Amino acid sequence: MSIFQDANRKQIANRRRVDWLLHILFVIATSVGVLALCALIIDVLVDGVARLQPQLFTEFPSRKADGSGMKSALVGTVYMLLIMLPLSFVLGVGAAIYLEEYAGKNRLTRLIQLNISTLAGVPSIVYGILGLTIFVRLMSLDRSLIAGAFTMTLLVLPIIIVSAQEAIRAVPKSRRDASFALGATKWQTVSRSVIPSSLAGILTGVILAMSRAIGETAPLVMIGALTYVAFLPNSLMDSFTVMPIQIYNWISKPQLEFKELAASGILVLLALLLIMNFSAIMLRNKYQKNV
Amino acid sequence: MQPLIHINKLNLFYTSFHALKDVTLTIPEKAITAFIGPSGCGKSTLLRTLNRMNDMIPGTRIEGSIAIGGTELYSNEVDVETLRKKVGMVFQQPNPFPKSIYDNIAYGPRLHGIRSKQKLDEIVETSLKSAALWDEVKDHLKRSALSISGGQQQRLCIARALAVNPDILLMDEATSALDPISTLKIEELVQELKDRYTIVMVTHNMHQAARVSNQTVFFLSGEVIEYSDTEKLFSNPTDQRTEDYISGRFG
């Protein structure tokens, strides 16, 4: 009677059941991550919100929890970012431009490429050992702010290179052709056409790499960043501490008050991460409109 | 019509692929020359040799002679930036930069060192007028070039090419991505431009070649089979293969 008559109802019902089942499975898979993060945030909030007071930002760490703050760690993290950001931006984006625009596509560049991708996955403690050997010992920079910033730069470089390369590769070839056809040199094409078109992607990658760096502890412990710093670094050669180290220091103390302080430190760190990731998203949206 | 471009026994290889075979051809000044032929026949390859855009493809090798006004394009006298300033190009897909209309036109002049705002304003206006786009965009030059229609974008690309003051304009299937009305506008524009520029266009649309061009060149498998006045080529071709192609028997 109808063209739908020969449909195999049973088989369709089966297909739908599989569809529904997998749908549920994917929802569960997603919830695991989200729930874990929620649990973490709630747990930390419960412990730390009471200690989230101005003194956290204005006081140096002390033996008494009540008078303790993380001023030196916060400032250390900010200084670290300020040194790392321009360094890793210039080196990382420079390397990405070289690999994407200038280097020939041959076996050597493929090998370099493979190495960079591998380096992006090397455990951060290994960078710590490298930093200790090269910057602290060989260049005798000691346990200074600059040695820490150099080590962290090495750590984030592969991440920045890979993400900048992806952003640069996403610029359509037709845009380069348009520039070359007007008589542009390679650098003119890169600086006036390719980089403006890929800047949002590049910056997003840089910010995400920075937010990874400010949470890193291991490499800085390795090169000997101090856990108890009751002063602000005045020069690049001063010793320093950063937020995750301060948190680690507090959490390893037996008293409950310090555990609460650690929780409030984590809240500050999370807030900073959130701000950075949010600004990465804003940047992307802003630039995507005119790409 | 004075010949401007002389091509003599030109061979081009992409690594081992022989893309152009013994091409010999002259292209007249201040006229429209159309390259026709089936896909992969080498017409775009030859076009891209005229502004050396092929240089960027690794493994490209060239033998023979290709000269504009007596100067060999692949000799030491020619630097490729100047060549591309003198030989502008419009591509198949409109490819404006994601910048304002003004900055798109000013891109080329700025590359070549023009900084004065007044001079740039002047160039932007004359280029847009030459490309018959001025009246449509003059009130929003600051608007993104991506916000105008595809046909307008392609005329913008023509204006951008004209802004560096070329002698020759290459058009690589410049209307194939456009609707019929936009295509017609570009064809009319090209007719106007031929008084001032030497135009070489690749087209896969034979009717377009017949409508627009003064001289037509027919390519097949990397060879020039025949070239002559457009009227003669379409009404009275000398080679059987040309006749088969223009009468729609293949391609």
Side-chain angles (χ1 to χ4, degrees), chain A residues 173-186 188-190 192-193 196-197 289-291, chain B residues 48 53 56 81 84-85 87 89 91 95-99 107-108 110-112 115 146 160-161 164:
Chain A
K173 183 176 170 291
S174 65
R175 237 169 249 170
R176 295 181 178 82
D177 282 347
S179 177
F180 284 126
L182 288 166
T185 59
K186 195 136 214 171
Q188 284 179 320
T189 301
V190 168
R192 295 168 196 226
S193 178
S197 291
K289 269 179 219 146
N290 45 23
V291 166
Chain B
R48 288 169 159 269
M53 286 295 272
M56 284 180 279
E81 290 82 8
R84 290 183 187 148
K85 183 170 176 289
V87 185
M89 188 168 206
F91 297 84
N95 58 353
F97 299 115
K99 301 173 188 284
Y107 190 95
R110 280 174 178 151
L111 288 177
H112 298 285
R115 295 269 174 278
L146 301 180
R160 184 175 66 188
V164 290

Coordinates of all heavy atoms in Angstrom, one line a residue, chain A residues 173-186 188-190 192-193 196-197 289-291, chain B residues 48 53 56 81 84-85 87 89 91 95-99 107-108 110-112 115 146 160-161 164:
Chain A
K173 N 46.2 29.3 1.2 CA 47.3 29.6 0.3 C 47.0 30.8 -0.6 O 47.9 31.5 -1.0 CB 47.6 28.3 -0.6 CG 48.7 28.5 -1.5 CD 49.0 27.1 -2.2 CE 50.0 27.3 -3.4 NZ 49.4 28.1 -4.5
S174 N 45.7 30.9 -0.9 CA 45.3 32.0 -1.8 C 45.7 33.3 -1.3 O 45.9 34.3 -2.1 CB 43.8 31.9 -2.1 OG 43.1 32.2 -0.9
R175 N 45.8 33.5 0.0 CA 46.1 34.8 0.6 C 47.6 35.1 0.4 O 48.0 36.2 0.3 CB 45.7 34.7 2.1 CG 44.8 35.9 2.5 CD 44.3 35.7 3.8 NE 42.9 35.4 3.8 CZ 42.2 34.9 4.8 NH1 42.8 34.8 6.0 NH2 40.9 34.7 4.7
R176 N 48.4 34.0 0.5 CA 49.8 34.2 0.2 C 50.0 34.5 -1.3 O 50.8 35.4 -1.6 CB 50.6 32.9 0.6 CG 50.6 32.6 2.0 CD 51.4 31.3 2.3 NE 51.5 31.0 3.7 CZ 50.5 30.3 4.3 NH1 49.4 29.9 3.7 NH2 50.6 30.0 5.6
D177 N 49.3 33.8 -2.1 CA 49.4 34.0 -3.6 C 49.1 35.5 -3.9 O 49.8 36.1 -4.7 CB 48.4 33.1 -4.3 CG 49.0 31.7 -4.5 OD1 50.1 31.5 -4.2 OD2 48.2 30.8 -4.9
A178 N 48.0 36.0 -3.3 CA 47.6 37.4 -3.5 C 48.7 38.3 -3.2 O 49.0 39.3 -3.9 CB 46.3 37.7 -2.7
S179 N 49.4 38.1 -2.1 CA 50.5 38.9 -1.6 C 51.7 38.8 -2.6 O 52.2 39.8 -3.0 CB 50.8 38.6 -0.2 OG 51.9 39.4 0.2
F180 N 52.1 37.6 -2.9 CA 53.2 37.4 -3.8 C 53.0 38.0 -5.1 O 53.9 38.6 -5.7 CB 53.6 35.9 -3.9 CG 54.2 35.3 -2.7 CD1 53.7 34.2 -2.1 CD2 55.4 35.9 -2.2 CE1 54.4 33.7 -1.0 CE2 56.1 35.4 -1.1 CZ 55.5 34.2 -0.5
A181 N 51.7 37.9 -5.6 CA 51.4 38.3 -7.0 C 51.5 39.9 -7.0 O 51.5 40.4 -8.1 CB 50.0 37.8 -7.4
L182 N 51.5 40.5 -5.9 CA 51.6 42.0 -5.9 C 53.0 42.4 -5.8 O 53.3 43.6 -5.7 CB 50.8 42.6 -4.8 CG 49.3 42.6 -4.9 CD1 48.6 42.8 -3.6 CD2 48.8 43.5 -6.0
G183 N 53.9 41.4 -5.7 CA 55.4 41.8 -5.7 C 55.9 41.8 -4.3 O 57.0 42.4 -4.0
A184 N 55.2 41.1 -3.3 CA 55.7 41.1 -2.0 C 56.9 40.1 -1.8 O 56.9 39.1 -2.5 CB 54.6 40.7 -1.0
T185 N 57.8 40.4 -0.9 CA 58.8 39.4 -0.6 C 58.2 38.4 0.4 O 57.1 38.6 0.9 CB 60.1 40.0 0.0 OG1 59.6 40.7 1.2 CG2 60.7 41.0 -0.9
K186 N 59.0 37.4 0.8 CA 58.5 36.4 1.7 C 58.1 37.1 3.1 O 57.1 36.8 3.6 CB 59.5 35.3 1.9 CG 59.0 34.1 2.6 CD 59.5 32.9 1.9 CE 58.5 31.8 1.8 NZ 58.9 30.7 1.0
Q188 N 57.5 40.2 3.7 CA 56.4 41.1 3.6 C 55.1 40.3 3.6 O 54.1 40.7 4.3 CB 56.5 41.9 2.3 CG 57.5 43.0 2.4 CD 57.6 43.8 1.1 OE1 57.5 43.2 0.0 NE2 57.7 45.1 1.2
T189 N 55.1 39.1 2.9 CA 53.9 38.3 2.9 C 53.6 37.7 4.3 O 52.5 37.7 4.8 CB 54.1 37.1 1.9 OG1 54.3 37.7 0.6 CG2 52.9 36.2 1.9
V190 N 54.7 37.3 5.0 CA 54.5 36.7 6.3 C 54.0 37.8 7.3 O 53.0 37.6 8.0 CB 55.8 36.1 6.8 CG1 55.7 35.7 8.3 CG2 56.1 34.8 6.0
R192 N 52.6 40.8 6.7 CA 51.4 41.6 6.5 C 50.2 40.8 6.2 O 49.1 41.3 6.2 CB 51.7 42.5 5.3 CG 52.8 43.6 5.5 CD 53.2 44.3 4.3 NE 54.4 45.0 4.5 CZ 54.7 46.2 4.1 NH1 53.7 46.9 3.5 NH2 55.8 46.8 4.3
S193 N 50.4 39.5 5.8 CA 49.2 38.7 5.4 C 49.1 37.5 6.3 O 48.0 37.3 6.9 CB 49.3 38.3 4.0 OG 48.3 37.5 3.6
P196 N 48.9 38.5 10.5 CA 47.6 39.0 10.9 C 46.5 38.0 10.8 O 45.6 38.0 11.6 CB 47.4 40.2 9.9 CG 48.8 40.6 9.4 CD 49.6 39.3 9.5
S197 N 46.5 37.1 9.8 CA 45.4 36.2 9.6 C 45.5 35.1 10.7 O 44.5 34.4 11.0 CB 45.5 35.5 8.3 OG 45.1 36.5 7.3
K289 N 36.1 37.0 13.7 CA 35.1 37.7 13.0 C 35.7 38.3 11.7 O 35.0 38.3 10.7 CB 34.6 38.9 13.8 CG 33.4 38.4 14.6 CD 32.9 39.6 15.5 CE 32.4 39.1 16.8 NZ 32.7 40.0 17.9
N290 N 36.9 38.8 11.7 CA 37.4 39.3 10.4 C 38.5 38.5 9.8 O 39.4 39.0 9.1 CB 37.9 40.8 10.6 CG 38.7 40.9 11.9 OD1 39.3 39.9 12.3 ND2 38.8 42.1 12.4
V291 N 38.4 37.2 9.9 CA 39.3 36.3 9.2 C 38.6 35.7 8.0 O 37.4 35.4 8.1 CB 39.9 35.2 10.1 CG1 40.6 34.1 9.3 CG2 40.9 35.9 11.1
Chain B
R48 N 51.1 31.4 -15.3 CA 51.8 31.6 -14.1 C 53.3 31.7 -14.3 O 54.1 32.0 -13.4 CB 51.6 30.4 -13.1 CG 50.2 30.5 -12.5 CD 49.8 29.2 -11.8 NE 48.8 29.5 -10.8 CZ 49.0 29.9 -9.6 NH1 50.2 29.9 -9.1 NH2 48.0 30.1 -8.8
M53 N 55.0 32.9 -10.9 CA 54.4 32.3 -9.7 C 54.7 30.8 -9.6 O 54.6 30.2 -8.6 CB 52.9 32.5 -9.8 CG 52.4 33.9 -9.5 SD 52.8 34.5 -7.8 CE 51.3 33.9 -6.9
M56 N 57.5 29.2 -7.0 CA 57.3 28.8 -5.6 C 57.0 27.3 -5.5 O 57.0 26.7 -4.5 CB 56.2 29.6 -5.0 CG 56.6 31.0 -4.6 SD 55.3 31.9 -3.9 CE 54.5 32.5 -5.4
E81 N 60.2 40.6 -7.7 CA 59.2 41.5 -7.1 C 58.8 42.6 -8.1 O 57.6 43.0 -8.2 CB 59.9 42.2 -5.9 CG 60.1 41.3 -4.7 CD 61.3 40.4 -4.8 OE1 62.1 40.6 -5.7 OE2 61.5 39.5 -3.9
R84 N 56.5 41.1 -10.8 CA 55.1 40.9 -10.3 C 54.4 42.2 -10.1 O 53.1 42.2 -10.2 CB 55.1 40.0 -9.1 CG 55.5 38.6 -9.3 CD 55.4 37.7 -8.1 NE 56.0 36.4 -8.4 CZ 56.6 35.7 -7.5 NH1 56.7 36.2 -6.2 NH2 57.1 34.5 -7.8
K85 N 55.1 43.2 -10.0 CA 54.5 44.6 -9.9 C 54.0 45.0 -11.3 O 53.0 45.6 -11.5 CB 55.5 45.6 -9.4 CG 55.1 47.0 -9.2 CD 56.1 47.8 -8.4 CE 55.8 49.2 -8.3 NZ 55.8 50.0 -9.5
V87 N 53.4 42.8 -13.8 CA 52.5 41.8 -14.3 C 51.6 41.4 -13.2 O 51.9 40.5 -12.4 CB 53.3 40.6 -14.8 CG1 52.3 39.6 -15.5 CG2 54.3 41.0 -15.8
M89 N 48.1 40.0 -11.2 CA 47.4 38.7 -11.4 C 46.0 38.7 -10.6 O 46.0 39.2 -9.5 CB 48.2 37.5 -11.0 CG 47.6 36.2 -11.3 SD 48.9 34.9 -11.1 CE 48.2 33.7 -12.2
F91 N 43.0 35.9 -9.5 CA 42.9 34.5 -9.4 C 41.5 34.0 -9.6 O 40.5 34.7 -9.7 CB 43.4 34.0 -8.0 CG 44.9 34.3 -7.8 CD1 45.3 35.6 -7.3 CD2 45.9 33.4 -8.0 CE1 46.6 35.9 -7.2 CE2 47.2 33.7 -7.8 CZ 47.6 34.9 -7.4
N95 N 40.2 36.5 -3.8 CA 41.0 36.3 -2.5 C 41.4 37.6 -1.9 O 42.6 37.9 -1.7 CB 42.2 35.4 -2.9 CG 43.1 36.1 -3.9 OD1 42.8 37.1 -4.5 ND2 44.3 35.5 -4.1
P96 N 40.4 38.4 -1.5 CA 40.7 39.6 -0.8 C 41.4 39.3 0.6 O 41.1 38.2 1.1 CB 39.4 40.3 -0.6 CG 38.4 39.3 -0.7 CD 38.9 38.3 -1.6
F97 N 42.2 40.2 1.1 CA 42.7 40.0 2.5 C 41.6 40.3 3.5 O 40.7 41.1 3.2 CB 43.9 40.9 2.7 CG 45.1 40.7 1.8 CD1 45.4 41.7 0.9 CD2 45.8 39.5 1.8 CE1 46.5 41.5 0.0 CE2 46.8 39.3 1.0 CZ 47.2 40.3 0.1
P98 N 41.6 39.7 4.6 CA 40.6 40.0 5.6 C 40.9 41.4 6.3 O 41.1 41.5 7.5 CB 40.8 38.9 6.6 CG 42.1 38.4 6.5 CD 42.6 38.6 5.1
K99 N 41.0 42.4 5.4 CA 41.2 43.8 5.9 C 40.2 44.6 5.2 O 39.3 44.1 4.5 CB 42.6 44.2 5.3 CG 43.8 43.4 5.8 CD 45.0 43.9 5.0 CE 46.2 43.0 5.3 NZ 46.9 43.1 6.6
Y107 N 47.5 47.7 -0.1 CA 48.5 46.7 0.3 C 49.7 46.7 -0.7 O 50.8 46.8 -0.3 CB 47.8 45.3 0.2 CG 48.6 44.1 0.7 CD1 48.5 43.7 2.0 CD2 49.5 43.5 -0.1 CE1 49.2 42.6 2.5 CE2 50.2 42.4 0.4 CZ 50.1 42.0 1.7 OH 50.8 40.9 2.2
G108 N 49.4 46.7 -2.0 CA 50.4 46.6 -3.0 C 51.3 47.9 -3.0 O 52.5 47.8 -2.8
R110 N 51.8 50.0 -0.6 CA 52.6 50.0 0.6 C 53.8 49.1 0.5 O 54.9 49.4 1.0 CB 51.7 49.6 1.8 CG 50.8 50.7 2.3 CD 49.9 50.3 3.4 NE 49.1 51.4 3.8 CZ 47.9 51.2 4.3 NH1 47.3 50.0 4.4 NH2 47.2 52.2 4.8
L111 N 53.6 47.9 -0.1 CA 54.7 46.9 -0.3 C 55.9 47.6 -1.0 O 57.0 47.4 -0.6 CB 54.3 45.8 -1.1 CG 53.4 44.7 -0.6 CD1 53.1 43.7 -1.7 CD2 54.0 44.0 0.6
H112 N 55.5 48.5 -1.9 CA 56.6 49.1 -2.7 C 57.0 50.4 -2.2 O 57.6 51.2 -2.9 CB 56.1 49.1 -4.2 CG 55.9 47.8 -4.8 ND1 56.9 46.9 -5.1 CD2 54.7 47.1 -5.0 CE1 56.4 45.7 -5.5 NE2 55.1 45.8 -5.5
R115 N 54.1 55.6 1.4 CA 53.6 55.8 2.7 C 52.6 56.9 2.9 O 51.7 57.0 3.7 CB 54.7 56.1 3.7 CG 55.8 55.0 3.8 CD 55.4 54.1 5.0 NE 56.3 52.9 5.0 CZ 56.2 51.8 4.3 NH1 55.1 51.8 3.4 NH2 57.0 50.8 4.3
L146 N 35.6 41.4 3.1 CA 34.9 40.1 3.0 C 33.4 40.3 3.1 O 32.6 39.4 3.0 CB 35.3 39.2 4.2 CG 36.8 38.9 4.2 CD1 37.2 38.0 5.3 CD2 37.2 38.2 2.9
R160 N 42.9 45.9 -6.8 CA 44.2 45.7 -6.0 C 45.3 45.5 -6.9 O 46.4 46.0 -6.7 CB 43.9 44.5 -5.1 CG 45.1 44.3 -4.1 CD 44.7 43.2 -3.2 NE 44.6 41.9 -3.9 CZ 44.1 40.8 -3.3 NH1 43.8 40.8 -2.0 NH2 44.0 39.7 -4.0
A161 N 45.1 44.7 -8.0 CA 46.2 44.4 -9.0 C 46.6 45.7 -9.7 O 47.8 45.9 -10.0 CB 45.8 43.3 -9.9
V164 N 49.2 48.8 -8.2 CA 50.6 48.9 -8.3 C 51.1 49.2 -9.7 O 52.3 49.1 -10.0 CB 51.3 47.6 -7.8 CG1 51.2 47.4 -6.3 CG2 50.8 46.3 -8.6

